[in-house]
Amino acid sequence: MSTAEPDLEELFDQKKRVKNPFVPIGALITAGVLTAGLISFKRGNSVLGQKLMRARVVVQGATVALMVGSAYYYGEKIYEFPKRS
């Protein structure tokens, strides 16, 4: 083994995985609106189905924005390496 491997392992041990609880909630809402829209299309209510598909796009966009925002906010912390003694 090379001497760089323990340093790399220490870096990954110190990195904490941050979870944004709004992302899974947004994904579930997106899936729910999509399902409701597909059901309304199947039943023949195309006006409601179209409105639900538009709502799905808005909810999905908000979820993606939350993901990107979380990655940007928490992603800057990775460049702050601990100083060696």
Side-chain angles (χ1 to χ4, degrees):
M1 286 193 196
S2 68
T3 59
E5 288 181 25
D7 295 334
L8 191 61
E9 289 176 8
E10 289 175 10
L11 174 66
F12 287 120
D13 285 340
Q14 293 175 0
K15 182 181 175 196
K16 295 180 182 176
R17 185 171 184 158
V18 179
K19 296 180 183 179
N20 187 344
F22 295 115
V23 173
I25 292 170
L28 287 174
I29 293 172
T30 301
V33 173
L34 174 65
T35 303
L38 291 174
I39 289 170
S40 66
F41 275 131
K42 186 172 179 163
R43 291 184 179 169
N45 192 352
S46 61
V47 174
L48 178 62
Q50 194 62 258
K51 287 181 182 179
L52 286 168
M53 288 299 137
R54 290 179 186 150
R56 177 199 53 91
V57 170
V58 171
V59 173
Q60 187 173 0
T63 304
V64 170
L66 276 170
M67 290 169 47
V68 170
S70 295
Y72 177 75
Y73 180 75
Y74 293 111
E76 292 179 356
K77 309 282 192 258
I78 195 169
Y79 296 112
E80 297 174 5
F81 295 109
K83 295 186 180 190
R84 295 179 186 230
S85 303

